Amino acid sequence: MRSETRPVTRWNPAERVWETGRRGYSVLSDPRLNKGTAFTDPERAALGLTGLLPSRVLTLDQQAERAYRQCSQQPSPLDKNIYLTALHDRNEVLYYRVLTDHLSELLPIVYTPTIGEAIQRYSHQYRRPRGVYLNIDAPGQIETALRASGLSGGEVDLIVATDAQAILGIGDWGVGGIDIAVGKLAVYTAAAGIDPARTLPVMLDVGTDRAELLEDPLYLGVRHQRPAQEPYDAFIDAYVTAALKVFPGALLHWEDFGPGNARRILDRYRDRMLTFNDDMQGTGAVNLAAVLAGARASRTPLTQHRIVIFGSGTAGIGIADELFGAMTGQGLDAAAARARFWCLDRQGLLTDDMTGLRDFQAPYARPATEVGDWPGHGTAGGIGLAQVVGRAHPTILVGTSTVHGAFTEQIVREMAAHVDRPVILPMSNPTSLSEATPADLVAWTGGRALIATGSPFGSVADQGITYQIGQANNALIFPGLGLGALLSRARRITDHMITAAAQAVAGLTDTTTPGAPLLPLIDDLRTTSATVALAVAQAAAQDGVAGVPGITADAVSAATWQPRYAPVHAV
């Protein structure tokens, strides 16, 4: 229960009623309660707002039109982000109404890529706190900090936590990473209708290895380097223990953890509680959706594809894992499925004679005896992408490297020379880090490439055909996955639930039309999320982990939070 303000009902898509003891400006300062000029005359009288607002009462529609115009007049994406953040801090319903009405346009503003710039400037543009900040140097205060949010056990469904070590494509940005958790939750709400009042962003402030932050007198985070594994793991365990004590049943979402920690954390907790890592499982699932759509368009079964993944960190191997699971699920034995992958990292093609391979990379290392005569083997630079493409003749090329332009014309033309419909997925974001642009890929393959990108790109016109470019955005997966898991009251998220989410997304496109996108467009994100939620809930029931089986499409629709003003009652 909140100290002064609490909703009578929480998880109910029908009209909600707020009861509050607050009066006057205190009501206007609470973004959950504040309706601004939409407060009715009786509400103004009851809540002590008479004379504190202009006399005219506006509708939410009118407010949303004005707010969108104000946002559109901002001179840069970052300025638009700042405007929307201020709106979020002032009036939560209006913020989500504007975001939902213009989702494809504003998603890149409130999330990737613009949020990366906001994160970098967090300490210098700090305005007001949002969420909970947990300090590794004060582990005994974790439970106290979580309770200070004013939320009690039955009032939180979803927590997004980050330690900000691997933010998007920009790396370690310390305490500024709280914005990635806030942005992620905004997408959960805008895309899938998860009630924002039942969510909580958490910053796991363990320090930073970025010297410029540690040397910055205005930096707001813990001012020391990241700790060794043992104290780090103890802090994470203390967080999980406290979070589940204070908010039992909440979905714990892990966001933008470094490759050395992400998989270990997920493996430690995934079979014991409801938890999910979007960088691994979400990225893998949206890539699987693109590959499944590409396999359908190329008329080549998934089990017959040859896959090169350029960038074998958390995201890249997460993609490999999802594709591997789908292949074995279609009857291919494990050894044969592993043989379908060529994974490269900074040291080149992963081979089993390399030192320093991470445990999650090792299963995808090629036998050294197989590539012993390939140029680059055994050297510091290793076997490069051009060599791998020239030798392996992949049908699918995935980029998670953040190396801009890595998919060169020579590499793409070599790939296209050996396959009729090459599936090319430059997944890195933001746009400046993409491995290739769709316009180049269309030109270099004569329009034969099947393309999805990690960053948003416009359509490409070539020789009378307009190619729509589907964005392999995790937002196609994680909002619906979270909604489906919460509606079904799943005890954990299974591999089958993630695969079901990918299959649901892949099934929403018609790749038979020339120029059609591999993935649904962001404009249809609410429809996509509802479809994913239903598939995930059904998979949870099939796996025996659902507390509430039998979720229907009507139930999904009914549970979707809408940005509408609820009555505010004075008590």
Side-chain angles (χ1 to χ4, degrees), residues 12 24 49 85 124 161 166 207-208 258 276 290 296 355 365 393 399 401 427 458 474 525 567:
N12 192 324
L49 298 175
T85 298
H124 287 258
T208 177
F276 171 73
R296 187 172 69 243
T355 58
H393 297 164
S401 67
M427 297 280 284
N474 292 18
L525 200 47

Side-chain angles (χ1 to χ4, degrees), residues 151-227:
L151 295 161
S152 62
E155 293 182 320
V156 173
D157 294 323
L158 174 63
I159 302 173
V160 173
T162 184
D163 75 348
Q165 187 176 12
I167 296 290
L168 302 171
I170 60 176
D172 176 359
W173 281 91
V175 74
I178 186 65
D179 275 355
I180 203 71
V182 172
K184 206 77 174 184
L185 287 171
V187 181
Y188 266 113
T189 295
I194 289 179
D195 187 344
R198 299 185 63 83
T199 67
L200 185 66
V202 169
M203 178 65 220
L204 300 171
D205 192 356
V206 299
T208 177
D209 291 335
R210 187 174 290 273
E212 68 185 87
L213 295 181
L214 296 176
E215 296 167 2
D216 183 351
L218 295 181
Y219 177 61
L220 293 171
V222 172
R223 298 179 67 84
H224 60 61
Q225 291 186 320
R226 292 177 178 272

Side-chain angles (χ1 to χ4, degrees), residues 6-10 14-20 33 566-569:
R6 64 180 180 86
V8 174
T9 56
R10 280 309 215 161
E15 182 180 63
R16 298 185 307 162
V17 177
W18 291 91
E19 294 182 346
T20 182
L33 296 178
V568 181
H569 292 175

Side-chain angles (χ1 to χ4, degrees), residues 434-500:
S434 181
E435 287 83 4
T437 65
D440 283 341
L441 296 177
V442 169
W444 296 338
T445 64
R448 293 185 289 121
L450 297 163
I451 304 165
T453 59
S455 294
F457 284 92
S459 58
V460 177
D462 186 78
Q463 299 191 23
I465 298 176
T466 298
Y467 298 87
Q468 290 183 297
I469 307 302
Q471 185 186 357
N473 191 321
N474 292 18
L476 295 171
I477 295 289
F478 73 81
L481 177 66
L483 180 60
L486 292 171
L487 286 179
S488 65
R489 296 185 187 174
R491 292 182 292 277
R492 59 188 180 88
I493 292 177
T494 65
D495 291 340
H496 178 210
M497 292 163 68
I498 296 171
T499 301

Side-chain angles (χ1 to χ4, degrees), residues 132 134 139 142-143 146 158-162 200-204 232-247 250-254 257 265 269 273 275:
V132 173
L134 303 180
I142 292 176
E143 183 176 336
L146 292 173
L158 174 63
I159 302 173
V160 173
T162 184
L200 185 66
V202 169
M203 178 65 220
L204 300 171
Y232 176 90
D233 286 351
F235 178 65
I236 296 297
D237 199 51
Y239 157 67
V240 170
T241 301
L244 294 184
K245 177 182 178 182
V246 179
F247 307 117
L251 167 58
L252 302 188
H253 175 129
W254 308 95
F257 286 73
I265 291 172
Y269 300 111
M273 63 193 67
T275 192

